Amino acid sequence: MAERTDLRQRIAAQRAEREARALLRTRRTVLRRDGMRCEVQDGNGTPRWLTNFCGNDYLGLAQQFAVAAALQDASSRMGTGAAASHLVCGHHAAHEALEREVAEWLEVPAALLFGNGYLANLAVVQSLLGDNDVCVQDRLNHASLVDAARLSGCRLRRYPHADAEGALRQLRASPGGAAMLATDGVFSMDGDVAPLRELSLAARMQKALLYVDDAHGIGVLGPDGRGSVAEAGLDLRAAPLRLATLGKALGGYGAMVVGDAELVRHLAETARPYIYTTALPPAQAAATLAAVKLARREAWRREKLAALVARFRADAQRHGLELMPSDTPIQPVLCGGNATALAMSASLERDGFWVAAIRPPTVPEGRARLRVTLSAAHTDADVDALVDALAVARNRVGAAADSHVA
Ligand SMILES: *Cc1c(COP(=O)(O)O)cnc(C)c1O
């Protein structure tokens, strides 16, 4: 009989390996927040104020006065928790109001509220696909979509990034059973937008359901911030189901699966990550309702964000920094090696900026990066100072690497 593996030994060995490859991950504690400035504890526990350039609060709604006031008001009336899952007795009027508002905003017949985007993705794939089915996915899709396919038990086939022809080939190679083509709308670590029109054609030719995870597109792209699907001009038939997260541009927490009424009802009745979990606190739903209204109405947030993105790209290119082809608020600066990304991040921190290093397995091997993100709550001066600090970081880290080689 094979000998039992010692779990603690294995964990220690795995950690040592991650350490050798500069892949250890640690948390930083945020003590206070004031707009894009955060007071953060550094490695020694000393508090420092940094300008945050790695959050997903693209529209600057996470601390907006009316949103926080809606949370306070609703929690004083309804308390802090929902008390049960939606199908038992946890479905409150605030949830209902948020679902109605989002459905109207995104011009879809139905919307269903989930605890978060990770759960929502698990729910969509698990409730629609099973053993005999196939889920075809972009290589760079978010981890939650990959995990969702694993949970459902379906075959998972991946195609080269943003390659609609590749998606079609993978669908053709998996005849029989039901098929889903799942893609991020905006790729979370690269910032580019999926070729949704071409993908929808591939899906239609192969009778596959197109599912767009628009975690980073909602609120930011398209007319009135309706996201990447609206920007691509796809109707409900072309894109029957999509994900909108509430924790990014909308500044709160939770997620919505929106689209075709029959599909959404099927999720509500059968998806295990919907059924077997407590509903979102109703006060959080009330806060997000206030955020959605602002996101719809205040176009200046998107306009300012777009101007900051253009400013960042022009400044960075003038300094000879290598950017990726992205027009969204996700503007990664590629570093390559894990240690280089960590050193660049540390250099930025010395100059007062917080940009976390993103390393494998979140991104492919050799593609570590600083994932710079912009927000409508940044100023022109913030962006200019960041670009200066990035140029300094590149020179410092470049020089250090040279002296190491010598
Ligand atoms: C963040 C993210 C999710 C998960 O959403 P949460 O609400 O944070 O759980 C899903 N998909 C993509 C593409 C994301 O970036």
Side-chain angles (χ1 to χ4, degrees):
M1 220 185 331
E3 212 178 308
R4 179 72 65 210
T5 300
D6 185 312
L7 202 47
R8 285 177 192 284
Q9 240 171 35
R10 184 169 72 190
I11 289 168
Q14 287 171 340
R15 186 164 202 279
E17 196 203 320
R18 287 203 305 280
E19 187 168 18
R21 298 175 55 212
L23 286 176
L24 287 188
R25 296 184 177 213
T26 53
R27 302 180 303 182
R28 310 295 302 274
T29 305
V30 178
L31 303 168
R32 283 184 289 180
R33 259 202 311 185
D34 179 13
M36 287 296 118
R37 259 156 277 282
C38 318
E39 194 185 27
V40 187
Q41 262 175 341
D42 71 13
N44 308 318
T46 317
R48 268 201 73 192
W49 282 93
L50 300 174
T51 306
N52 188 353
F53 272 102
C54 56
N56 301 314
D57 181 18
Y58 304 122
L59 299 179
L61 291 172
Q63 296 170 82
Q64 206 279 342
F65 178 78
V67 176
L71 182 77
Q72 286 178 332
D73 175 60
S75 65
S76 72
R77 287 181 291 107
M78 297 187 277
T80 54
S85 64
H86 284 280
L87 294 178
V88 175
C89 61
H91 189 64
H92 292 247
H95 299 137
E96 191 73 24
L98 179 58
E99 288 180 346
R100 237 177 295 124
E101 174 84 16
V102 169
E104 188 196 289
W105 177 33
L106 301 181
E107 301 180 337
V108 289
L112 188 67
L113 178 62
F114 284 83
N116 58 52
Y118 190 99
L119 280 180
N121 277 342
L122 295 187
V124 166
V125 186
Q126 178 263 320
S127 82
L128 296 177
L129 300 184
D131 292 348
N132 297 318
D133 304 327
V134 65
C135 187
V136 166
Q137 298 202 16
D138 189 291
R139 264 260 156 245
L140 296 188
N141 271 358
H142 192 259
S144 56
L145 282 169
V146 176
D147 295 356
R150 292 192 182 127
L151 176 68
S152 79
C154 73
R155 273 167 296 155
L156 170 62
R157 286 179 158 267
R158 307 185 77 180
Y159 57 86
H161 179 51
D163 179 0
E165 285 284 331
L168 186 59
R169 265 197 305 277
Q170 291 288 28
L171 285 166
R172 282 207 180 108
S174 311
M180 179 187 293
L181 198 177
T183 181
D184 285 15
V186 175
F187 289 89
S188 56
M189 297 298 135
D190 291 58
D192 57 334
V193 179
L196 292 177
R197 294 196 70 81
E198 291 83 353
L199 289 170
S200 80
L201 283 177
R204 190 166 65 186
M205 285 167 73
Q206 284 293 312
K207 294 194 170 67
L209 182 105
L210 178 65
Y211 175 52
V212 180
D213 173 345
D214 212 13
H216 298 275
I218 289 297
V220 174
L221 298 182
D224 299 326
R226 292 202 305 272
S228 62
V229 170
E231 187 173 66
L234 297 184
D235 62 14
L236 196 65
R237 227 166 46 104
L241 220 48
R242 57 186 139 136
L243 175 75
T245 53
L246 309 176
K248 288 166 181 159
L250 295 166
Y253 193 70
M256 292 270 191
V257 175
V258 305
D260 179 274
E262 216 176 310
L263 291 172
V264 168
R265 187 179 61 202
H266 181 75
L267 291 186
E269 292 178 5
T270 66
R272 297 170 68 88
Y274 183 74
I275 298 171
Y276 298 107
T277 189
T278 303
L280 201 72
Q284 183 57 60
T288 302
L289 179 63
V292 169
K293 288 183 170 163
L294 288 170
R296 294 182 71 175
R297 182 165 9 104
E298 299 192 332
W300 67 263
R301 292 178 188 273
R302 276 179 289 282
E303 286 154 17
K304 180 162 175 214
L305 189 54
L308 291 171
V309 169
R311 188 179 186 95
F312 174 81
R313 288 188 68 82
D315 274 5
Q317 272 152 3
R318 205 170 313 118
H319 280 80
L321 291 160
E322 202 185 321
L323 297 181
M324 295 177 67
S326 160
D327 297 321
T328 68
I330 303 169
Q331 291 291 329
V333 177
L334 211 54
C335 303
N338 303 331
T340 306
L342 286 175
M344 293 269 293
S345 176
S347 170
L348 287 177
E349 184 171 330
R350 252 177 288 158
D351 290 343
F353 298 96
W354 192 3
V355 187
I358 307 287
R359 291 161 289 158
T362 308
V363 291
E365 289 293 340
R367 306 276 293 167
R369 66 198 66 178
L370 297 175
R371 177 179 176 269
V372 171
T373 52
L374 299 164
S375 166
H378 285 126
T379 64
D380 285 356
D382 289 335
V383 169
D384 296 351
L386 172 72
V387 174
D388 287 343
L390 277 166
V392 169
R394 179 202 47 198
N395 295 341
R396 273 186 194 149
V397 172
D402 289 345
S403 68
H404 188 71
V405 172

